[in-house]
């Protein structure tokens, strides 16, 4: 189990993966919007998306878990 | 006569507008969101009305809630500041229909200048030179490719409804064209609700120089000077100054004449800015017009002795240009540094609590701040949290003073672009007045 966290507070603008998707290291999985800027969040390791913890439009704080990967 | 104004904005510009209103004995009504309930503008206004949630759509972009606050506050006029609803023609029209004065130009002018394609057309018709460009009838590959080939690479793909540096991208060659087109269309649909785009010739290493104009209801249009805003990151300005040391007397005359002519032709009223790109040969090209107060307006105020917010209010009250007051605190040069809550090298936002926010008291330094020590900079709004303006008799003295002030500043709790501003002020290219819009990209 690996967690993809945000290092910044902001709104979730786009979730670019779905449960079951395979992601690669460095792949952009979520785009946040903070202070009128798009902030891409990338996977820090490869894996399969097990759970998406956020929805588009929701607000996240620094260190919140966005996506859980397995494998 | 305006006796009470609602300020439909937040941060430093709301604070700035309140200051002039106090001097003019005009009562102020602030509006605020959940995230801004302890903000400086809320504390300083005579009254404050809560709008709603922290997101702009729930608060500062919600015209109906703002009009409810105007009604509850029993105001005469609404000042829109900059950004947010300031260039929204529908909002301006609703404000007027409800019987309030909107401090800005007519709804039709806001509408026309808000659409970049319509604005280009209006300027072309007025005989003001625009950047060579082509409006696209559709975004089919063949149409876009043909337009770009006619103009010659590199080109800029721009959103008709774009602004604030969002919705524009450079394309070096045909290989990247369609990728950029689809990205600009997508972004423009998301941010501005319209996917309309056009293609412009890319002007190599230009300077961004704009002209401040003011116009009354009887057709007087004056130019109050230029501002050189060439130092930009992500197509957003960070350092602005006046006068521009690049412009020759003849170039300046040409710029002022074009701006006044543009204002007269579109029947502009109130205070506004005509932005130009100026190439190495001093050819000027109309870029866009901002039908509102500009972030960098203090640069003009500190070189002319004019209070532009007072002019906005007086012009909205129906006064004519010759009757407007000018102070005598004119200086030869002024320079403004914008302080952004962001990483100085990646430009990523840096929200957080301001544990320290200390700047030295210095002669010839003006601070326009929207925050104070202990305030929290939230992720909901623009990262620009304050401006430092230096003014004095020579460019060198002003530059040195601004540098000293920023070096003495003590800001803790968030990252800011202050180190980057210091590097810029120390850089020979900037010091020699040779900075073009490529400067920041080359600095990093």
């Amino acid at each position: 189990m690996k967690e993809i966290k945000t290092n910044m507070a902001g709104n979730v603008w786009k979730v670019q993966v779905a449960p079951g998707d395979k992601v690669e290291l460095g792949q952009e999985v979520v785009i946040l919007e903070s202070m009128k800027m798009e902030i891409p969040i990338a996977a820090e390791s490869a894996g399969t998306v097990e759970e998406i913890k956020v929805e588009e439009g929701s607000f996240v704080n620094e260190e919140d878990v966005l996506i859980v990967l397995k494998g | 006569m305006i006796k009470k104004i609602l300020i439909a904005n937040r941060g430093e510009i709301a604070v700035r507008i309140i200051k002039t209103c106090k001097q003019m004995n005009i009562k102020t009504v602030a509006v605020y969101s959940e995230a801004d309930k302890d903000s400086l503008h809320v504390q300083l206004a005579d009254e404050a009305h809560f709008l709603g949630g922290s997101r702009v759509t729930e608060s500062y972009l919600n015209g109906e809630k703002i009009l409810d606050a105007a009604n509850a506050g029993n105001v005469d006029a609404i000042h829109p500041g900059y950004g947010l609803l300031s260039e929204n023609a529908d909002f301006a029209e609703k404000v007027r229909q409800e019987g309030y004065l909107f401090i800005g130009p007519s709804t039709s002018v806001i509408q026309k200048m808000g659409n970049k394609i319509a604005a280009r057309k209006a300027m072309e018709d007025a005989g003001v030179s625009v950047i060579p460009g082509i409006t696209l009838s559709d975004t089919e590959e063949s149409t876009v490719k043909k337009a770009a080939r006619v103009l010659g690479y590199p080109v800029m793909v721009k959103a008709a409804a774009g602004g604030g540096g969002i919705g524009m991208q450079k394309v070096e060659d045909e290989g990247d064209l369609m990728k950029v087109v689809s990205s600009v269309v997508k972004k423009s649909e998301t941010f501005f609700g319209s996917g309309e785009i056009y293609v412009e010739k890319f002007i190599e290493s230009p300077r961004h120089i704009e002209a401040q104009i003011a116009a009354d209801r009887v057709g007087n249009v004056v130019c109050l000077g230029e501002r050189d805003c060439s130092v930009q990151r992500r197509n957003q300005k960070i350092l602005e100054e006046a006068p521009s040391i690049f412009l020759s007397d003849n170039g300046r005359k040409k710029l002022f004449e074009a701006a006044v002519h543009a204002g007269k032709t579109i029947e502009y009223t109130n205070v506004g800015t005509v932005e130009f790109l100026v190439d190495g040969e001093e050819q000027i090209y109309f870029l866009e017009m901002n039908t509102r107060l500009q972030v960098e307006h203090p640069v003009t105020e500190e070189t002319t002795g004019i209070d532009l917010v007072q002019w906005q209010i007086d012009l909205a009250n129906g006064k004519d240009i010759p009757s407007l007051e000018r102070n005598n605190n004119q200086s030869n040069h002024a320079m403004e540094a914008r302080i952004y809550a962001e990483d100085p090298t990646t430009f990523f936002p840096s929200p957080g609590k301001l544990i320290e926010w200390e700047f030295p008291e210095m002669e010839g330094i003006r601070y326009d701040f929207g925050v104070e020590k202990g305030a929290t900079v939230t992720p909901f709004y623009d990262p620009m949290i304050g401006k430092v303006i230096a003014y004095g008799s020579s460019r060198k003295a002003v530059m040195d003073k601004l540098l000293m002030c920023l070096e003495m500043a003590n800001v803790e709790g968030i990252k800011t672009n202050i180190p980057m501003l210091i590097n810029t002020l120390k850089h020979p290219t900037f010091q020699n007045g040779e900075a073009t819009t490529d400067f920041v990209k080359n600095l990093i």
Side-chain angles (χ1 to χ4, degrees):
Chain A
M1 287 267 269
K2 293 164 204 155
E3 292 176 334
I4 303 176
K5 291 182 180 178
T6 168
N7 56 1
M8 193 173 296
N11 272 313
V12 177
W13 188 41
K14 290 213 156 54
V15 177
Q16 296 182 303
V17 290
D21 283 0
K22 286 207 179 349
V23 301
E24 289 167 16
L25 170 71
Q27 183 181 334
E28 280 178 19
V29 288
V30 170
I31 301 177
L32 295 183
E33 194 251 314
S34 182
M35 291 179 145
K36 289 168 54 183
M37 187 178 176
E38 292 164 44
I39 317 283
I41 306 289
E44 285 168 9
S45 58
T48 305
V49 176
E50 182 164 274
E51 191 186 355
I52 294 172
K53 298 275 219 184
V54 292
E55 298 175 355
E56 288 183 2
S58 63
F59 184 78
V60 290
N61 281 303
E62 200 176 331
E63 290 301 302
D64 279 359
V65 177
L66 306 177
I67 284 173
V68 180
L69 296 180
K70 71 177 170 196
Chain B
M1 281 293 281
I2 297 171
K3 293 200 179 80
K4 196 172 182 186
I5 292 177
L6 178 139
I7 300 155
N9 217 297
R10 59 175 303 283
E12 69 88 17
I13 197 60
V15 173
R16 161 72 192 90
I17 296 162
I18 291 168
K19 198 174 132 200
T20 288
C21 288
K22 281 192 200 289
Q23 283 164 3
M24 296 177 78
N25 285 319
I26 293 170
K27 293 262 179 263
T28 52
V29 174
V31 288
Y32 63 99
S33 68
E34 180 63 33
D36 276 345
K37 58 182 188 296
D38 301 319
S39 292
L40 208 50
H41 77 284
V42 174
Q43 296 168 38
L44 294 173
D46 294 305
E47 278 172 43
H49 292 256
F50 178 68
L51 292 176
S54 301
R55 285 181 203 158
V56 281
T57 45
E58 298 164 339
S59 49
Y60 302 106
L61 286 183
N62 191 317
E64 282 191 12
K65 285 187 178 174
I66 291 169
L67 284 167
D68 287 346
N71 183 39
N74 196 23
V75 302
D76 312 304
I78 294 185
H79 194 306
Y82 56 64
L84 299 171
L85 290 172
S86 64
E87 290 174 292
N88 183 311
D90 292 342
F91 176 67
E93 192 49 33
K94 269 191 204 129
V95 167
R96 288 171 165 137
Q97 279 168 4
E98 297 285 323
Y100 306 105
L101 270 175
F102 179 83
I103 301 176
S106 70
T107 305
S108 63
V109 165
I110 299 174
Q111 184 118 42
K112 195 184 272 181
M113 293 298 113
N115 181 298
K116 307 293 173 226
I117 294 174
R120 275 178 62 92
K121 175 85 174 50
M123 291 302 147
E124 267 181 314
D125 291 350
V128 175
S129 68
V130 299
I131 301 169
I134 294 173
T135 308
L136 302 172
S137 51
D138 58 71
T139 52
E140 293 298 321
E141 190 164 343
S142 56
T143 314
V144 187
K145 277 190 172 165
K146 193 176 158 208
R149 275 182 200 165
V150 169
L151 294 168
Y153 290 92
V155 296
M156 289 291 276
V157 176
K158 292 188 173 182
I166 298 170
M168 55 194 267
Q169 207 171 324
K170 182 183 174 186
V171 185
E172 294 287 354
D173 53 55
E174 201 163 82
D176 293 333
L177 183 65
M178 293 318 290
K179 204 172 73 189
V180 171
V181 165
S182 93
S183 147
V184 172
V185 168
K186 208 163 112 191
K187 201 171 270 186
S188 179
E189 279 169 349
T190 309
F191 281 93
F192 310 110
S194 151
E196 195 184 7
I197 60 163
Y198 63 106
V199 187
E200 263 181 11
K201 174 90 188 136
F202 179 78
I203 307 289
E204 294 288 347
S205 300
R207 284 170 175 80
H208 174 122
I209 306 177
E210 59 192 28
Q212 177 69 60
I213 63 162
D216 61 24
R217 291 186 201 161
V218 291
N220 294 305
V221 181
V222 284
C223 179
L224 302 172
E226 84 277 14
R227 293 181 291 258
D228 190 323
C229 314
S230 300
V231 182
Q232 308 185 352
R233 62 101 182 83
R234 298 201 281 117
N235 295 316
Q236 288 174 339
K237 301 158 191 166
I238 51 175
L239 264 173
E240 303 101 344
E241 65 177 304
S244 162
I245 63 163
F246 170 73
L247 281 184
S248 66
D249 288 347
N250 197 33
R252 178 169 293 108
K253 192 167 161 265
K254 215 164 60 174
L255 191 98
F256 286 13
E257 280 172 2
V260 168
H261 182 63
K264 282 195 172 156
T265 309
I266 61 170
E267 297 180 343
Y268 198 80
T269 48
N270 214 283
V271 159
T273 296
V274 191
E275 297 190 334
F276 297 96
L277 287 184
V278 182
D279 72 13
E281 272 76 50
E282 276 194 309
Q283 282 300 316
I284 66 168
Y285 302 96
F286 169 80
L287 190 61
E288 62 179 49
M289 174 150 197
N290 295 132
T291 54
R292 53 165 168 86
L293 190 64
Q294 206 91 341
V295 176
E296 59 275 22
H297 75 278
V299 169
T300 302
E301 293 186 325
E302 297 307 332
T303 46
T304 60
I306 287 170
D307 180 330
L308 283 169
V309 175
Q310 187 188 330
W311 274 44
Q312 285 190 298
I313 295 168
D314 283 343
L315 289 166
N317 263 327
K319 281 198 183 176
D320 61 17
I321 297 275
S323 70
L324 295 182
E325 262 179 65
R326 295 177 190 226
N327 301 323
N328 290 320
N329 63 338
Q330 274 174 274
S331 57
N332 296 328
H333 210 94
M335 201 177 273
E336 173 186 276
R338 299 189 188 188
I339 301 182
Y340 286 92
E342 68 184 18
D343 185 288
T345 50
T346 63
F347 310 135
F348 270 25
S350 177
K353 192 179 159 92
L354 284 170
I355 297 160
E356 287 295 347
W357 179 259
E358 270 183 286
F359 289 80
E361 284 295 321
M362 281 167 71
E363 175 79 28
I365 289 280
R366 160 179 165 181
Y367 297 114
D368 280 19
F369 289 158
V371 293
E372 55 189 343
K373 182 177 167 174
T376 299
V377 180
T378 69
F380 299 102
Y381 315 111
D382 194 276
M384 210 279 290
I385 52 175
K387 304 174 314 207
V388 181
I389 305 101
Y391 52 93
S393 58
S394 76
R395 183 174 189 261
K396 173 85 173 72
V398 167
M399 212 159 45
D400 289 348
K401 200 153 41 182
L402 185 56
L403 177 61
M404 193 204 285
C405 175
L406 292 172
E407 283 183 326
M408 287 168 74
N410 178 22
V411 178
E412 283 174 39
I414 62 163
K415 287 188 222 170
T416 72
N417 65 331
I418 292 175
M420 190 266 176
L421 290 166
I422 290 173
N423 285 344
T424 302
L425 289 164
K426 284 181 174 172
H427 200 284
T429 303
F430 180 77
Q431 290 187 344
N432 296 335
E434 290 161 359
T436 66
T437 54
D438 295 333
F439 174 75
V440 174
K441 209 167 50 201
N442 297 335
L443 183 74
I444 288 165

